[in-house]
Amino acid sequence: MNGLTVGGLTRRQALGRGGRLLVAAAGAQAGATWVGSATSSANSPGASWRVLARSLQGPLLRPGDAGFRAASAAENDLYASVVPAGIALCEGPRDVQACVRWARDNGVPLVARSGGHSFGGYSRTTGLQVDLRRMKSAIVDRDAGTLRVSGTVRFADLDRVLKPYNLFIPAGQCPSVAVNGFTLGGGFGFYSRAHGLAGDQLKRTDVVLASGQKVTADPSRHSDLFWACRGGGGGNFGINTSMTFSLFPVGDVSVCTCVWSSKPEDVLNEFQQLFKHFPDTFSLIVRITPATGSSPMTVTALGHYFGPSRELRDILSPVLSLAPASQQEFLDLSFWKARDYLADTNGPPHSYVERSRYVAGPMSSAGIATLLDQTRRWPGAGATAGRLDFWLWGGAMIKPSPRSTAFVHRSARSLFAVGATWPAAMATRRARPLINWVNDTWAAVGPHATPYAYQNFIDPALRDWKRAYYGANLSRLSRVKRAYDPDDLFNFAQSIPT
Ligand SMILES: Cc1cc2nc3c(=O)[nH]c(=O)nc-3n(C[C@H](O)[C@H](O)[C@H](O)COP(=O)(O)OP(=O)(O)OC[C@H]3O[C@@H](n4cnc5c(N)ncnc54)[C@H](O)[C@@H]3O)c2cc1C
């Protein structure tokens, strides 16, 4: 057994604070909430925060405290004005238990915060942010072929820990996304067609429940909770303090980028036909990027293959011979260099929206024509960006039955997502045409796709989200919710209903 603990935030003394604080919630969660109190009697909220601070090993930060701004910074600036009344920088599961008990006893809303990448801003709250970033650790058991992560372990951390072993899990490509939020919603990446979802590789997890009790869930203990933690979505059943995964060995791979700036319709239709013939060892994103300024609309294929680049070229040859790419690159790389090559880094602070729909088979040529028509209507300019992505689904992701875990989307051929990004400094009002374009594109694609959406691309604008994320598994998820969180402590706009 070999262990490594990585990083942590600066420790500081906990400070309880009285005083009245108005927190205005913005973005999709407009409204205003009063938290805190000017009084200092034993039962006042101000005094309660001091009680919480005393019960924690890690610091409790309140607005105005040193470190609060950094700890409350939003990953998606759209939700930056949802500011917590307190942030508990937990040192370990006991701190998480203390937070849950205190929030329940004091009627203060709480959320777990790991990587902070919830598309809906659901790891932000005007109440208590139970922050797992200080308690991160990742331990490899080489003999058992397992990895145990505790607290917030981001994919950038995971690469550092696992590289010496040449072992990995079905992780994603964004270095700052964290393992726990990712896994709870299923979790797919370039390795999932070969090795399944992150949730499929989960062997056991420790969860702090609404009662404050910590339990271990695996196939034989709290098996219904274990089932729900594999695709039931983050923030619903408790706070997962650790997760143990099976690892797979990695070696050399190949990657490619091919860009087409002409014949987008032919290229996209050909890809749709090929999707079901591609080997499970190959993964792909096909991205349509709208024209901006003097740059034309492009179609880009970003691929990863567990095999040599000469085979990867063969796999893509039907599209390349139909329409020559304006740029193409095929590389043989180590698995780890390939991760760097494919990394989806975030860049400077920005705001974004993203909406998804699963597509069952090849999208019809009418559907592709609709998408291209929408792409031509992109209203952005300057530092804004729009994108329409097809993620190749299938392979090991659709082998388990839809009922075997909470993750129901086991028959799709691709996952479509449309998104827009704009600089943090740009007012949301000015981004409205971009948001409208995302909504219009998402609506236009409806007749050519399924009603299902990916729960990890959680979408505050989605009306029928319960069915879209969970389909036939919703009623069992509600039963698990009633059993483990009967008072709905873990509640947010799209939490599983009791
Ligand atoms: C740039 C970017 C790229 C992405 N790429 C992919 C991708 O390739 N594949 C994919 O599948 N997804 C992808 N996602 C989506 C991502 O998986 C989800 O946003 C995921 O929920 C993020 O988890 P987090 O811990 O980083 O975020 P958080 O916002 O911290 O958490 C997400 C949700 O889970 C809850 N939560 C967090 N930690 C815990 C815990 N320990 N216990 C219980 N609940 C918890 C939070 O309260 C919140 O509701 C991407 C997102 C972004 C922004």
Side-chain angles (χ1 to χ4, degrees):
M1 170 106 54
N2 202 335
L4 177 61
T5 300
V6 275
L9 299 173
T10 324
R11 186 181 170 89
R12 68 177 299 287
Q13 202 53 40
L15 280 175
R17 280 162 48 101
R20 212 167 184 207
L21 176 71
L22 176 67
V23 181
Q29 303 168 344
T33 313
W34 284 101
V35 289
S37 161
T39 67
S40 59
S41 72
N43 293 324
S44 75
S48 296
W49 286 100
R50 284 196 287 278
V51 169
L52 173 62
R54 278 197 295 273
S55 70
L56 297 175
Q57 214 193 330
L60 174 72
L61 303 181
R62 306 285 321 271
D65 289 349
F68 180 87
R69 251 171 184 272
S72 66
E75 201 280 327
N76 181 349
D77 212 64
L78 192 56
Y79 303 107
S81 53
V82 180
V83 179
I87 302 175
L89 297 177
C90 297
E91 287 282 357
R94 282 191 184 184
D95 279 357
V96 176
Q97 290 177 282
C99 286
V100 169
R101 289 189 180 116
W102 177 87
R104 191 195 55 212
D105 294 348
N106 289 277
V108 173
L110 83 167
V111 292
R113 202 280 192 191
S114 287
H117 282 64
S118 166
F119 281 176
Y122 295 139
S123 51
R124 300 187 69 75
T125 176
T126 52
L128 174 64
Q129 175 175 313
V130 184
D131 199 305
L132 306 181
R133 283 176 286 181
R134 262 178 98 94
M135 53 186 271
K136 68 178 168 182
S137 83
I139 297 169
V140 177
D141 183 337
R142 198 200 288 255
D143 296 337
T146 58
L147 164 77
R148 182 175 196 265
V149 300
S150 303
T152 300
V153 173
R154 297 173 189 268
F155 291 135
D157 304 319
L158 204 62
D159 288 6
R160 284 206 305 278
V161 172
L162 292 178
K163 192 171 173 181
Y165 299 93
N166 272 330
L167 296 168
F168 212 57
I169 63 166
Q173 289 308 125
C174 177
S176 49
V177 166
V179 174
N180 10 30
F182 176 85
T183 302
L184 290 166
F188 80 94
F190 279 103
Y191 324 115
S192 295
R193 281 173 51 82
H195 298 285
L197 302 169
D200 296 337
Q201 299 303 333
L202 187 68
K203 289 172 76 78
R204 94 184 58 90
T205 178
D206 289 338
V207 192
V208 172
L209 303 175
S211 61
Q213 187 195 358
K214 179 161 85 74
V215 299
T216 298
D218 64 15
S220 55
R221 290 169 289 181
H222 300 281
S223 57
D224 47 353
L225 178 62
F226 183 62
W227 174 88
C229 288
R230 291 180 298 158
N236 280 303
F237 303 100
I239 301 183
N240 300 65
T241 53
S242 80
M243 292 183 166
T244 302
F245 296 89
S246 298
L247 291 159
F248 60 84
V250 295
D252 290 341
V253 300
S254 55
V255 292
C256 69
T257 305
C258 300
V259 183
W260 290 266
S261 44
S262 63
K263 296 195 179 178
E265 198 139 8
D266 292 352
V267 171
L268 291 167
N269 280 316
E270 184 67 11
F271 268 122
Q272 293 295 325
Q273 296 309 319
L274 288 171
F275 277 173
K276 79 166 178 218
H277 301 294
F278 285 139
D280 294 356
T281 42
F282 173 59
S283 278
L284 178 71
I285 305 173
V286 178
R287 169 165 295 179
I288 315 170
T289 308
T292 46
S294 57
S295 311
M297 175 201 299
T298 55
V299 177
T300 303
L302 187 62
H304 178 276
Y305 179 54
F306 285 103
S309 63
R310 65 187 146 73
E311 291 177 13
L312 179 53
R313 276 179 197 274
D314 286 348
I315 290 170
L316 288 178
S317 64
V319 203
L320 288 166
S321 52
L322 181 78
S326 50
Q327 293 169 46
Q328 54 174 292
E329 180 170 63
F330 288 83
L331 297 171
D332 289 290
L333 296 174
S334 73
F335 177 85
W336 306 103
K337 286 245 156 40
R339 275 194 66 68
D340 293 342
Y341 182 90
L342 297 169
D344 175 10
T345 41
N346 272 357
H350 58 289
S351 302
Y352 52 87
V353 291
E354 181 126 353
R355 308 195 66 187
S356 73
R357 284 188 187 276
Y358 280 100
V359 183
M363 184 175 278
S364 66
S365 50
I368 295 297
T370 304
L371 282 187
L372 290 174
D373 190 40
Q374 272 303 123
T375 309
R376 291 185 189 100
R377 293 168 198 252
W378 164 249
T384 67
R387 63 192 169 274
L388 302 92
D389 291 336
F390 285 98
W391 303 76
L392 181 57
W393 209 253
M397 286 188 273
I398 60 171
K399 290 203 170 113
S401 94
R403 301 298 184 103
S404 60
T405 69
F407 192 85
V408 78
H409 313 293
R410 302 291 192 173
S411 61
R413 189 49 65 190
S414 65
L415 174 64
F416 170 77
V418 54
T421 306
W422 60 96
M426 189 170 137
T428 307
R429 164 181 54 79
R430 286 189 47 224
R432 183 44 62 191
L434 312 184
I435 299 170
N436 291 344
W437 175 83
V438 169
N439 289 337
D440 291 348
T441 307
W442 184 85
V445 100
H448 310 283
T450 70
Y452 299 108
Y454 181 34
Q455 52 269 50
N456 256 358
F457 292 179
I458 204 157
D459 176 0
L462 192 59
R463 282 211 198 116
D464 191 12
W465 56 269
K466 292 179 204 141
R467 184 169 73 116
Y469 300 151
Y470 304 115
N473 285 337
L474 178 66
S475 52
R476 183 168 173 195
L477 281 164
S478 284
R479 280 204 302 280
V480 177
K481 177 82 175 170
R482 283 195 295 280
Y484 288 93
D485 183 16
D487 299 325
D488 203 12
L489 181 72
F490 297 105
N491 172 280
F492 57 96
Q494 293 190 351
S495 52
I496 305 268
T498 49

